[in-house]
Amino acid sequence: MYLFIVLRPLIRGFDYCRPVVVVDVAHLGGAYKGTFVSASTLDGAGCILPLAYGVVDTENDCSWTWFFEQFKNAFGDRENMCIVSDRNESIMKSVSIVFPNVPHCACI
């Protein structure tokens, strides 16, 4: 039901980036339904560095909690990390569950 993809060079590259993780979704249409979820950051040159991505059935508490658990398994706890997203309730709830000491900021 869920798919999570992260590449080793991206895990290593995150060590040299600011500890700001931006998460977002895109709803898939056409023959393949679901929701594309992604986490990214900025590298030293100010370019977007994708960290992890996946496909879930829908944007809800369970899928976001699962995604953040997989992200935490891959990247671990990072000091001074911050998660940025839109004001989605499921994201805010899941961040507080999986990363209780990590602040969540909303982009506008």
Side-chain angles (χ1 to χ4, degrees):
M1 182 159 41
Y2 298 146
L3 170 72
F4 181 82
I5 298 172
V6 64
L7 305 174
R8 184 172 299 274
L10 301 176
I11 295 171
R12 291 182 182 161
F14 187 49
D15 290 337
Y16 303 98
C17 297
R18 294 183 185 117
V20 177
V21 177
V22 179
V23 295
D24 202 5
V25 302
H27 300 281
L28 304 173
Y32 302 101
K33 304 294 184 197
T35 303
F36 178 83
V37 293
S38 65
S40 57
T41 190
L42 291 179
D43 64 12
C47 297
I48 296 173
L49 178 71
L51 296 173
Y53 54 93
V55 178
V56 296
D57 55 350
T58 185
E59 188 176 14
N60 60 27
D61 295 352
C62 291
S63 61
W64 272 116
T65 301
W66 177 85
F67 182 79
F68 285 122
E69 286 170 348
Q70 302 311 307
F71 186 88
K72 188 173 186 175
N73 288 338
F75 291 92
D77 285 321
R78 173 114 184 240
E79 188 176 340
N80 298 321
M81 191 168 86
C82 172
I83 297 177
V84 179
S85 72
D86 57 9
R87 294 175 185 254
N88 182 287
E89 292 290 327
S90 293
I91 295 173
M92 292 188 287
K93 192 181 300 182
S94 297
V95 167
S96 67
I97 292 170
V98 179
F99 294 104
N101 299 319
V102 172
H104 174 264
C105 302
C107 66
I108 297 177

